[in-house]
Amino acid sequence: MIVRTTPRLAKLGPRVRLAVLVLFSLLVAHDGIYLAQFGWGSGFQQAMSEGGSHAYWLPTSIAIALAGVATFLATLAVLVRLQQSASRLVQGHAEGPGYASELVRTWKRLYPLVTLLYGVQENVEHLASHGHLAGLDPLFGPGSDLALPVLAFTTFVLAAIGALLRWRISVLEGRMARARRAVFPRIEAHAQPAGWRMVAAIVAHGRILVRRDAGRAPPPFLPVQPIAA
């Protein structure tokens, strides 16, 4: 099977993966915070109901979970394809940032985004259930002491998984790029020596002399009219 893509779709892929990772992290962190604060069972169900999450959270959770699984499987398929293509190449030093750098960069983007979305989500739910906004209470208010630690831990774990896949793909793509450069080296432009201009002129003049359509004469069937004196 041959999969064709475009530069726009190639740039869209990482953005889609990041969006799905953010939503999946929000799903896990939201439930993790409620479990840490109210425990499992009736307390969890009552808190979800009072917070306004019971009406939509189950179908939303299923949709986000399916999107996360699909994105994970698609990323694994890309990784397997790259691994098969790069397995025949000589393994050298990995290009690009290391895994630790990729993890830090991914977590620095994921943690603030998920924290912001969690705060917005809780305010929307509180507004729908109680008629007013909760402000920063879901993050810093009484009873929310575990919100930020759970958000940090959840996003770090998921960022570690996402960064591992992203880093491995980057390594394989770098290895294949090095192999292509070795087979098809890039020709660098250099300044043209002055003597080559004369050589080019001589070659062009010689081509004009030897080619079959070097010139054009009058057609032979036209009579030549004498010029009257």
Side-chain angles (χ1 to χ4, degrees), residues 37-56:
Q37 292 177 348
F38 305 103
W40 183 261
S42 59
F44 177 81
Q45 298 295 335
Q46 183 179 357
M48 293 285 287
S49 178
E50 292 178 355
S53 302
H54 66 286
Y56 75 96

Side-chain angles (χ1 to χ4, degrees), residues 205-223:
H205 180 68
R207 182 176 180 274
I208 293 176
L209 294 178
V210 300
R211 69 182 184 178
R212 300 182 63 181
D213 58 342
R216 181 176 180 182
F221 56 84
L222 292 180

Side-chain angles (χ1 to χ4, degrees), residues 83 86-94 168 171-172 175 178:
Q83 183 66 45
S87 60
R88 298 183 296 270
L89 304 176
V90 178
Q91 300 185 8
H93 179 68
R168 186 58 184 170
V171 169
L172 295 176
R175 186 182 303 168
R178 289 198 308 274

Side-chain angles (χ1 to χ4, degrees), residues 126-143:
H126 200 83
L127 178 63
S129 301
H130 304 283
H132 60 87
L133 297 175
L136 298 177
D137 287 346
L139 297 173
F140 304 101

Side-chain angles (χ1 to χ4, degrees), residues 12-130:
L12 185 62
R15 298 176 183 176
V16 172
R17 289 195 294 266
L18 177 62
V20 173
L21 182 61
V22 169
L23 293 178
F24 191 77
S25 301
L26 178 62
L27 166 65
V28 177
H30 178 275
D31 291 349
I33 291 172
Y34 274 68
L35 286 174
Q37 292 177 348
F38 305 103
W40 183 261
S42 59
F44 177 81
Q45 298 295 335
Q46 183 179 357
M48 293 285 287
S49 178
E50 292 178 355
S53 302
H54 66 286
Y56 75 96
W57 193 237
L58 179 59
T60 303
S61 301
I62 295 175
I64 294 175
L66 291 177
V69 171
T71 304
F72 180 74
L73 293 178
T75 305
L76 281 183
V78 173
L79 184 60
V80 170
R81 178 177 57 83
L82 290 175
Q83 183 66 45
Q84 292 175 350
S85 300
S87 60
R88 298 183 296 270
L89 304 176
V90 178
Q91 300 185 8
H93 179 68
E95 294 185 354
Y99 172 68
S101 301
E102 189 68 40
L103 171 58
V104 171
R105 185 172 62 177
T106 303
W107 189 50
K108 287 174 64 176
R109 298 176 65 182
L110 190 62
Y111 183 33
L113 280 174
V114 175
T115 302
L116 176 63
L117 290 177
Y118 175 77
V120 172
Q121 176 187 1
E122 289 298 305
N123 273 272
V124 171
E125 292 175 354
H126 200 83
L127 178 63
S129 301
H130 304 283

